[in-house]
């Protein structure tokens, strides 16, 4: 019996074919337009993992992963802007603090788009952003090295580390305000279009009502293991997109061989992602993650080779996918992931 795809997956495929993929080269050379974000808002994709009682779809993780694959393969810059949104939604869904009732509904329904400004807490014991209790709220000081979606997001999930090594997660408006100043948008080798800036925090004050979570750093590090060691669906999305370009460029045989390998690694990686104990099997998760990188790199390289000199044109999808693959090698990278990846590369 054939199982029909989830309606949100169908909607994502339609959006990718109609809008995202045809404009991906243009977006790559400029910036993610507000119209792309608006299309994603209207599609219902921002609430894919949100509880139904708050206006979300309450879809299983398998559906959310497939959606992320499709978006990344169609336009990785647009994928990167909207993918930030889902972590705040999931965190709010698990929270019992007042901010849940204020923000989860608008975020689930797409009325608000969220970004994240917390990857820097993975640098602990180095503390790029310090959080200090002050005046019935929290003061944030330091530098957020990377913040994506500036000018597109409505709110951001910001984190800082306290003097007692707790991490405070709180929501702030995603705009310049007293205590927060953004840099000029960064020029990057890939995904410049995603509007990434750094944020200078100098006494940004947020009320206690904006806090969604306060947790010991050690506990966060344990919960963060699956987020950093599981393979990002975007890796498979870019790999499959490169294989389609390879097929159309005369490399059908190579594409078929690589697709079988990607399918198998994807199956195993997602089985581990669904494991009931999220912080177990770390070594196997890392091995599959590095193997997925190898296959993505092979697929994007093969697409460039098959296209020959034409791929040096910035409008050619092969070189764009190649650069997007390079970006995914370091996106969300931790020291554990870096060591595992370098070790795997050194043993080849």
């Amino acid at each position: 019996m054939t199982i029909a795809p989830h309606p949100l997956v169908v909607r994502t495929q339609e959006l990718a074919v109609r809008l995202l993929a045809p404009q991906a080269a243009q977006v790559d050379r400029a910036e993610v337009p507000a119209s792309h974000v608006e299309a994603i808002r209207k599609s219902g994709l921002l609430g894919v993992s949100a509880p139904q009682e708050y206006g979300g779809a309450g879809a299983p993780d398998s559906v959310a992963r497939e959606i992320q694959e499709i978006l990344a393969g169609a336009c990785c810059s647009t994928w990167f802007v909207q993918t930030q949104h889902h972590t705040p939604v999931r965190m709010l869904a698990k929270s019992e603090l007042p901010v849940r009732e204020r923000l989860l509904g608008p975020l689930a329904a797409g009325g608000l788009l969220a970004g994240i400004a917390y990857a820097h807490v993975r640098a602990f014991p180095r503390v790029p952003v310090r959080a200090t209790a002050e005046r019935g709220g929290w003061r944030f000081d330091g530098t957020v090295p990377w913040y994506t979606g500036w000018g597109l997001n409505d709110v951001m999930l910001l984190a800082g580390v306290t003097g007692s090594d707790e991490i405070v997660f709180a929501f702030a408006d995603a705009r310049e305000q007293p205590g927060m100043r953004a840099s000029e948008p960064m020029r990057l080798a890939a995904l410049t279009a995603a509007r990434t800036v750094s944020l200078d925090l100098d006494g940004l004050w947020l009320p206690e009502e904006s806090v969604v979570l306060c947790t010991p750093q050690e506990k966060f590090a344990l919960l963060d293991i699956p987020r950093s060691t599981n393979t990002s669906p975007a890796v498979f999305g870019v790999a499959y997109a490169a294989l389609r370009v390879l097929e159309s460029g005369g490399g059908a045989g190579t594409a078929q061989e690589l697709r079988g390998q990607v399918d198998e690694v994807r199956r195993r990686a997602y089985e581990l992602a669904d494991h009931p104990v999220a912080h177990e099997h770390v070594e196997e998760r890392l091995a599959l993650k590095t193997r997925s990188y190898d296959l993505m790199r092979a697929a994007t390289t093969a697409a460039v080779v098959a296209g020959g000199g034409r791929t040096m044109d910035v409008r050619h999808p092969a070189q764009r996918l190649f650069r997007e693959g390079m970006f995914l090698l370091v996106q969300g990278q931790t020291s554990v992931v870096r060591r595992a990846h370098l070790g795997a590369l050194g043993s080849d």
Side-chain angles (χ1 to χ4, degrees):
M1 182 178 68
T2 301
I3 300 176
H6 192 281
L8 282 181
V9 171
V10 174
R11 210 171 298 166
T12 306
Q13 291 169 332
E14 293 171 348
L15 184 64
V17 171
R18 172 180 57 84
L19 177 67
L20 301 183
Q23 295 189 22
Q26 178 182 344
V27 168
D28 178 60
R29 299 193 303 275
E31 62 182 18
V32 174
S35 56
H36 275 31
V37 173
E38 185 62 22
I40 288 174
R41 288 181 192 266
K42 291 180 177 179
S43 69
L45 302 184
L46 295 180
V48 57
S49 300
Q52 291 181 333
E53 61 268 31
Y54 285 86
D61 288 345
S62 58
V63 170
R65 288 193 295 257
E66 189 169 0
I67 287 171
Q68 297 308 307
E69 282 186 16
I70 295 168
L71 292 175
C75 178
C76 202
S77 293
T78 300
W79 161 79
F80 193 47
V81 169
Q82 65 77 44
T83 199
Q84 317 288 317
H85 176 89
H86 301 287
T87 297
V89 168
R90 289 175 182 269
M91 191 174 287
L92 279 168
K94 295 176 182 178
S95 178
E96 297 180 356
L97 296 178
V99 70
R100 170 185 171 126
E101 298 306 314
R102 179 167 64 87
L103 287 181
L104 184 52
L107 290 173
L112 295 176
L113 179 68
I116 57 175
Y118 77 79
H120 50 272
V121 299
R122 292 173 174 149
F124 189 86
R126 188 165 58 85
V127 180
V129 176
R130 177 68 72 188
T132 307
E134 183 179 285
R135 294 185 288 119
W138 293 90
R139 172 187 172 121
F140 292 83
D141 295 278
T143 299
V144 176
W146 306 90
Y147 180 78
T148 294
W150 187 254
L152 294 172
N153 297 325
D154 302 295
V155 295
M156 69 171 69
L157 179 62
L158 173 65
V161 180
T162 71
S164 57
D165 295 343
E166 286 194 311
I167 303 177
V168 178
F169 292 86
F171 281 93
D173 290 337
R175 57 174 176 78
E176 288 205 351
Q177 55 190 291
M180 182 166 70
R181 181 172 55 85
S183 71
E184 290 298 313
M186 298 180 186
R187 296 297 303 174
L188 306 174
L191 276 68
T192 286
R195 305 195 193 188
T196 298
V197 299
S198 63
L199 298 173
D200 179 43
L201 306 178
D202 183 14
L204 174 67
W205 184 84
L206 298 176
E208 187 66 38
E209 292 75 21
S210 69
V211 173
V212 65
L213 178 67
C214 188
T215 186
Q217 185 277 331
E218 289 183 356
K219 183 176 181 180
F220 169 79
L222 182 64
L223 296 174
D224 193 48
I225 286 175
R227 281 193 287 265
S228 60
T229 59
N230 284 334
T231 306
S232 167
V235 171
F236 298 119
V238 167
Y240 285 130
L243 293 177
R244 291 191 293 271
V245 173
L246 177 58
E247 284 176 330
S248 66
T254 303
Q256 182 178 6
E257 174 61 29
L258 286 171
R259 179 172 282 105
Q261 297 179 55
V262 174
D263 288 345
E264 175 60 16
V265 171
R266 176 183 183 270
R267 180 188 65 78
R268 293 168 59 196
Y270 286 172
E271 282 180 355
L272 276 182
D274 290 332
H275 190 276
V277 184
H279 57 271
E280 291 184 350
H281 303 287
V282 171
E283 294 302 319
E284 188 176 356
R285 293 175 197 269
L286 287 169
L288 288 168
K289 188 182 184 85
T290 56
R291 179 58 179 155
S292 72
Y293 285 154
D294 290 342
L295 291 170
M296 177 184 65
R297 188 174 68 248
T300 56
T301 300
V304 169
V305 171
R310 292 172 299 165
T311 63
M312 293 302 99
D313 187 326
V314 294
R315 295 168 295 182
H316 198 286
Q319 58 79 32
R320 174 175 52 81
L321 290 164
F322 188 93
R323 288 185 290 105
E324 290 169 351
M326 177 181 67
F327 174 86
L328 292 175
L329 295 179
V330 297
Q331 185 254 329
Q333 185 189 64
T334 64
S335 59
V336 172
V337 172
R338 184 184 303 111
R339 284 195 300 269
H341 196 182
L342 289 174
L345 290 171
S347 64
D348 286 346

